[in-house]
Amino acid sequence: MVDKPSLCMITQCPSLSPIQVNFMACQLFALAAAFWFRLYLSPRHASPLFRHAVATLLGTAFLIFCFGWYSMHILTVVFASYVIIIKADINNVHRYCMVMAMGYLTVCQVNRVIVFNYGILSTDFSGPLMIITQKITTLAFQLHDGKAEERIYPLIPGVYSLCSKRPSLIEYLSYNLNFLSILVGPCSNYTDYIDFIEGRHISRRLRHHSGTCNGQNGYDMTPEPSPLNAVCRKLLICCGCMLFFLIVTRSLPIIYNVDPHFVANAPFLTRLTYAFFSIQAARPKFYFAWTLADAVNNAAGYGFLGMDENGKPSWDLICNLNILGIETATSFKTFIDNWNIQTGIWLKTVCYDRAPRHRLPLTFVLSALWHGVYPGYYFTFLTAIPITMAARAMRKSIRHFFLGSRGVKLGYDIITWAATQLAICYTVMPFLLLAVEPTLFYLIWTFSSLIQLVLISF
């Protein structure tokens, strides 16, 4: 059983902490600053150097405002990684940066557990540090792939862009510390960000849309698509997520899943139903943070993907989630592919596509290490390995039998959706519970209840 002190340790405070209030204030200020940055500091009105400087100074101010002296951890790893980027041999720069950035992140994650209350999912400096780690390693790997004389991996499908030259200090600081992504991210390609600062971000993608115009000068004269509609749509989603969080999420606390009285007296199906809805209710806070961050980048004119099949501009280049894809996922892989998309791309680029063997386990282990040192993270990601492998095997073996008619496929999709959601309930719960005691308590009663249910059925 889980005792009262253990429950109290992982019970999240119902009110916003000062750091969370500061975070909200900075993100709303960043949204206003992003519009100003696009309208008054566009490449037509300001030089790339000035745009880099403003983006870096605002981002650094946000760090200091939110985290005070803890922001020095982020600045330290950024400057240390730049020394490696400039001085290290290009054939090994990606290895040195990975070890340094992940090592420093892990040390800070351990410090977070010691300094902050154990078992509380808090908003602190480790969040921006996780994003910085992605950016540092992304650039290092792309720099290696773009200039290495002897590539160990001659063909890497996961590398979406290459970097052909080492960045200047201001470019590097701007990429890592810019106010658009310093607090929540998302991580993006270095070359995409430099194109955005220098005014090539949209024009390069418009060239791929046939019939836009002819000639380089024509592209320069073509009016850039406005991100206003995309920003307004994403802000509406943020408002909906916030309302859902205030009304629904707080009435379905995750910790109630391991309440001794609830577990001892409620029927298994009741507990399973509560687990399902409490997991669903925990997602909107992530939807809110990632969608707001995406809107901030779009407001500045960053994130243009190109023209969609209907000829309308798409601003989802650095989008971090697909809510509809998450909620309707019919496989564990589909859920993962639509959740924290940019982190998935990072894991694929720096690990999955490069590992000679055991790609899936190594990628999940790296993901767990990147998230932190709480045991719940490792329970989640290590459990996800066999579940993902089993889901792949089942889908490959039987899915084609259900594609003959629309009705049969619909029934198959409903069943696989339900199975996926149950798997998510079992796998993700430790990620939210964090600590060892409640995680083991939840997994044990879930497993034993399933055994009892199977025995009763037979």
Side-chain angles (χ1 to χ4, degrees):
M1 300 291 283
V2 179
D3 57 17
K4 277 287 185 183
S6 297
L7 286 174
C8 292
M9 282 194 300
I10 59 175
T11 302
Q12 297 182 25
C13 180
S15 59
L16 293 177
S17 68
I19 291 181
Q20 290 172 325
V21 172
N22 291 345
F23 160 78
M24 282 293 301
C26 284
Q27 282 297 86
L28 292 177
F29 184 83
L31 181 64
F35 280 111
W36 169 77
F37 194 79
R38 181 175 67 88
L39 295 175
Y40 297 101
L41 288 185
S42 70
R44 293 185 180 91
H45 300 114
S47 67
L49 179 62
F50 191 70
R51 281 164 61 84
H52 279 306
V54 171
T56 303
L57 289 174
L58 281 176
T60 305
F62 287 173
L63 274 182
I64 296 173
F65 178 76
C66 284
F67 308 113
W69 284 107
Y70 285 106
S71 59
M72 292 303 298
H73 288 292
I74 297 168
L75 298 177
T76 297
V77 75
V78 168
F79 281 103
S81 64
Y82 184 69
V83 173
I84 296 175
I85 289 287
I86 296 301
K87 299 294 185 181
D89 178 74
I90 205 69
N91 293 296
N92 296 309
V93 65
H94 58 309
R95 296 189 182 95
Y96 297 153
C97 282
M98 174 63 82
V99 171
M100 188 279 299
M102 285 298 301
Y104 196 93
L105 174 64
T106 301
V107 170
C108 288
Q109 296 281 23
V110 173
N111 177 72
R112 171 195 180 191
V113 172
I114 296 173
V115 174
F116 296 94
N117 289 329
Y118 174 75
I120 294 181
L121 187 61
S122 60
T123 304
D124 56 44
F125 73 96
S126 63
L129 189 57
M130 291 164 70
I131 301 299
I132 292 294
T133 300
Q134 287 188 0
K135 290 183 177 182
I136 290 170
T137 52
T138 294
L139 174 55
F141 275 88
Q142 291 175 350
L143 187 63
H144 163 265
D145 294 330
K147 295 194 68 175
E149 296 177 0
E150 296 181 3
R151 296 181 190 171
I152 299 176
Y153 310 100
L155 180 62
I156 307 172
V159 175
Y160 295 90
S161 89
L162 303 175
C163 183
S164 58
K165 65 175 183 177
R166 301 179 198 253
S168 66
L169 178 59
I170 187 62
E171 289 172 338
Y172 194 74
L173 293 178
S174 177
Y175 171 63
N176 284 287
L177 301 175
N178 69 84
F179 73 98
L180 302 175
S181 59
I182 186 61
L183 295 181
V184 191
C187 174
S188 61
N189 283 322
Y190 171 78
T191 51
D192 287 335
Y193 178 76
I194 296 300
D195 283 347
F196 157 68
I197 291 293
E198 296 181 355
R200 301 187 300 268
H201 176 60
I202 295 178
S203 62
R204 282 191 174 182
R205 283 166 176 76
L206 285 176
R207 294 172 196 165
H208 297 291
H209 184 64
S210 59
T212 303
C213 58
N214 296 316
Q216 177 63 42
N217 291 334
Y219 285 110
D220 290 341
M221 296 298 293
T222 301
E224 293 186 351
S226 172
L228 186 59
N229 288 338
V231 172
C232 290
R233 174 175 56 83
K234 291 172 182 179
L235 291 179
L236 284 175
I237 294 174
C238 288
C239 291
C241 292
M242 179 60 74
L243 287 174
F244 189 96
F245 173 78
L246 294 174
I247 297 172
V248 178
T249 302
R250 293 190 176 187
S251 63
L252 296 171
I254 286 292
I255 192 59
Y256 195 62
N257 285 283
V258 290
D259 181 83
H261 179 77
F262 176 63
V263 173
N265 295 281
F268 172 69
L269 290 180
T270 301
R271 285 177 278 151
L272 189 63
T273 301
Y274 184 85
F276 170 78
F277 283 107
S278 61
I279 288 287
Q280 297 288 117
R283 295 174 191 167
K285 62 183 178 182
F286 297 99
Y287 294 169
F288 172 84
W290 289 335
T291 304
L292 180 58
D294 194 17
V296 169
N297 280 273
N298 291 167
Y302 187 37
F304 181 68
L305 179 61
M307 310 303 286
D308 62 20
E309 61 276 6
N310 298 318
K312 296 182 179 180
S314 171
W315 290 86
D316 293 333
L317 176 68
I318 55 175
C319 181
N320 222 1
L321 78 164
N322 179 354
I323 297 177
L324 184 61
I326 292 170
E327 299 298 340
T328 61
T330 57
S331 71
F332 203 77
K333 181 182 183 302
T334 304
F335 183 93
I336 294 174
D337 288 344
N338 289 284
W339 175 271
N340 206 352
I341 296 172
Q342 301 306 317
T343 295
I345 293 174
W346 173 70
L347 290 168
K348 186 175 187 295
T349 301
V350 304
C351 183
Y352 188 86
D353 285 334
R354 300 174 191 268
R357 290 177 295 178
H358 310 300
R359 291 181 171 186
L360 186 67
L362 287 175
T363 303
F364 276 118
V365 169
L366 176 60
S367 182
L369 184 64
W370 176 77
H371 277 88
V373 295
Y374 281 120
Y377 297 149
Y378 294 86
F379 277 108
T380 289
F381 289 107
L382 293 178
T383 303
I385 296 172
I387 290 179
T388 303
M389 296 175 68
R392 283 181 177 178
M394 288 289 292
R395 186 177 180 87
K396 184 177 180 180
S397 301
I398 68 173
R399 186 173 184 269
H400 57 276
F401 293 117
F402 298 91
L403 302 179
S405 68
R406 189 173 182 179
V408 173
K409 183 180 182 302
L410 178 61
Y412 172 81
D413 287 341
I414 293 174
I415 293 173
T416 52
W417 173 84
T420 298
Q421 296 303 320
L422 290 176
I424 293 298
C425 283
Y426 184 79
T427 307
V428 175
M429 191 67 74
F431 187 94
L432 300 173
L433 293 173
L434 297 178
V436 173
E437 296 86 351
T439 295
L440 288 177
F441 183 60
Y442 175 80
L443 295 178
I444 290 172
W445 77 249
T446 302
F447 184 75
S448 61
S449 298
L450 285 173
I451 295 291
Q452 294 175 16
L453 190 63
V454 170
L455 293 175
I456 292 173
S457 300
F458 285 96

